[in-house]
Amino acid sequence: MGRKRIEQFKEFSDFSIHAPSIRMLPERLCRKAHIVILNNAKENDQDDIYLGMHDIENGELISRLTLILNRQIHPILLNKFEIHRALDIGHGHAKETEGSDASVEIEDIDVDINNPDSLLQDIIAQAVKLSASDIHIETYRNTIDIRLRIDGVMHQIFSEISPQNISGVINRLKILAKLDIAERRVPQDGRFKILVESGDSKVAVDFRLNICPGPYGEDAVIRVLGSHTGMMAFSQLGMSDIEQTALFRILNNPEGMFFVTGPTGSGKTTTLYAALNTLNDGTRKIVTAEDPIEFDLPKITQKQVSPLLTYPLLARSFLRMDPDVMLIGEVRDHETADAITRAASTGHLALSTLHTTDSFSTVVRLRSLGLDNSLIANTLLGALAQPLLRRICTECKTEVQPTETERALFKGLLPQKIYTGKGCIHCHDTGYKGRIGVYEIFMVDHHIQDMLLDNAPTSQIRNHAHHQGYHSLLHDALSKVADGITSLEEVIRTLPYRYILELTEE
């Protein structure tokens, strides 16, 4: 079949997009209120109007529009993405919302609801176009939800996938990832690669897949692994010169252990790959244990963790491979923590990740894993914390005044000017486009070594670092607010409230 523009939301098969009808209401009003007129409303007719709405319980808005249009209104629940996509088509902006260079023509895909390949192509096209990091296929009793994680936030999107065809889609994913299509009782993990259009050529993009059974069927989460993301320089990650200098000092140590910390999806692996890229000058033997191997790194020996090749087993095995640098994907238990510490104390530079709120909590986490204070003091070089904050869209950035809540929370730390994004077609009405890291680096000096040996609390260690001129996560976040890169509401959304209070009260 030939390509055609999809102008109908299939899950609401009685409703179509009709540009003249959409223009019966001002575009600015529709975008602000998240509404769109569906079907051919025939401006001079008296038939009822079907109105797509994000909030169908807004009786005041419905009454107001009833007076404006002088027609009876039937509200239809749609999500924001569907509404603004319809508005883009109706007002001729569809081509302006394509976003990134690695684009696939979403509206031009001819979707066959009986063809799993076609359905997957449609979802992946939308994910790549919107620069999503993850695709979530969620199975409920009577419906299937498709949601994309874009800049760290979940957004529901339109898809032809339904309870009638979901099994074919899941089976197709399993085949792509070389999983067992007959196994529906236990989770399965795999990966696959698809060619995606990028300008005039096609590039291979890797995807990581997790299938997990549930009460109404199998759910799938697909991680989009951008082909370029794995090997970035520190200068591309949003670090200051001071932070980069401190990192280089740590990485130039011949032995010891260094951790990158942060929540899931905060780019810890990307930062560690940047570290390996810096160290990989041909004079060092570098080995890694990863679960999974997200990117192939040239001239580096990479090992995939499995039930037979665990993190601690690989860490002990690496010691017999004469390495200079080893990367252990994550420290989760005492056995792994002990293995990496032993390696760091016997002439190796060991890199890994932890899930902690800030860099100083690394000490608490290592203690909770059962490591002796003397081992921590003698091997820990430092830690880098790095949550990600969304960037304000440069096309709709506007200056705003802080709220009373923000004034009370941040007290005298507020920048003179703060900004936010109003939402526009370039950022899909979110106000944000892309993400940037905020960083806090903790380096162990001889004073901190003594404090670790004495089992000092992290508050004392942080106070010492403060007098040495260290910059906290909050300091770095507020500096990026002052530069107009991100917003106060994003700082509050991302950094733990308890952590903000602790630092603002110091």
Side-chain angles (χ1 to χ4, degrees), residues 130-134 148-155 223-224 229 232 236-239 262-268 270 386-393 430-439 480 485-487 490 493-494:
L130 298 172
S131 301
S133 61
D134 300 88
L148 304 181
R149 187 176 295 279
I150 303 170
D151 296 334
V153 177
M154 299 289 282
H155 297 270
R223 169 66 58 89
V224 184
T229 310
M232 299 175 70
Q236 297 174 278
L237 300 178
M239 293 184 187
T264 301
S266 62
K268 298 186 294 294
T270 299
Q386 58 161 72
L388 297 179
L389 273 63
R390 289 183 294 173
R391 291 176 178 266
I392 297 172
C393 174
T430 64
Y432 298 94
K433 193 169 186 180
R435 290 195 289 177
I436 189 170
V438 290
Y439 300 96
K480 288 179 168 68
I485 298 173
T486 191
S487 67
E490 187 65 5
R493 186 188 72 86
T494 305

Side-chain angles (χ1 to χ4, degrees), residues 136-362:
H136 291 249
I137 303 176
E138 301 167 342
T139 305
Y140 299 103
R141 186 189 298 273
N142 298 313
T143 188
I144 306 295
D145 279 357
I146 309 298
R147 298 200 290 168
L148 304 181
R149 187 176 295 279
I150 303 170
D151 296 334
V153 177
M154 299 289 282
H155 297 270
Q156 186 170 337
I157 64 166
F158 159 75
S159 172
E160 300 280 9
I161 295 180
S162 67
Q164 288 70 43
N165 57 33
I166 182 62
S167 59
V169 173
I170 296 295
N171 284 340
R172 182 56 185 158
L173 282 170
K174 289 179 179 179
I175 291 170
L176 286 172
K178 298 180 173 61
L179 303 179
D180 183 357
I181 63 172
E183 180 58 73
R184 297 183 177 88
R185 298 167 298 176
V186 298
Q188 297 188 72
D189 295 290
R191 60 189 302 160
F192 58 93
K193 184 177 291 188
I194 288 181
L195 290 176
V196 176
E197 293 181 10
S198 180
D200 296 330
S201 60
K202 291 188 176 182
V203 295
V205 178
D206 286 311
F207 298 87
R208 193 173 73 202
L209 172 67
N210 171 264
I211 303 285
C212 188
Y216 305 114
E218 294 176 287
D219 294 344
V221 178
I222 307 167
R223 169 66 58 89
V224 184
L225 303 174
S227 57
H228 64 283
T229 310
M231 298 299 287
M232 299 175 70
F234 289 129
S235 57
Q236 297 174 278
L237 300 178
M239 293 184 187
S240 67
D241 292 339
I242 295 175
E243 290 156 348
Q244 291 183 56
T245 300
L247 267 180
F248 289 138
R249 284 177 57 191
I250 289 175
L251 295 175
N252 281 328
N253 281 275
E255 64 178 15
M257 59 183 182
F258 172 71
F259 293 92
V260 179
T261 77
T264 301
S266 62
K268 298 186 294 294
T269 301
T270 299
T271 299
L272 285 177
Y273 280 176
L276 295 184
N277 194 30
T278 300
L279 295 168
N280 191 20
D281 59 2
T283 66
R284 299 177 175 90
K285 168 78 171 185
I286 302 175
V287 293
T288 74
E290 304 174 58
D291 184 22
I293 297 173
E294 295 194 5
F295 301 94
D296 294 327
L297 306 178
K299 306 300 182 181
I300 290 176
T301 302
Q302 296 175 270
K303 303 297 182 184
Q304 170 69 53
V305 171
S306 70
L308 296 178
L309 288 174
T310 61
Y311 277 128
L313 181 62
L314 284 170
R316 289 192 295 268
S317 175
F318 285 166
L319 297 179
R320 297 186 289 274
M321 294 176 64
D322 186 31
D324 297 291
V325 181
M326 65 170 65
L327 183 152
I328 304 298
E330 184 179 355
V331 173
R332 304 173 181 173
D333 50 44
H334 170 75
E335 195 176 5
T336 307
D338 182 70
I340 193 173
T341 307
R342 300 292 175 185
S345 63
T346 54
H348 308 88
L349 178 62
L351 313 177
S352 191
T353 69
L354 284 171
H355 289 276
T356 64
T357 302
D358 57 48
S359 59
F360 294 95
S361 297
T362 300

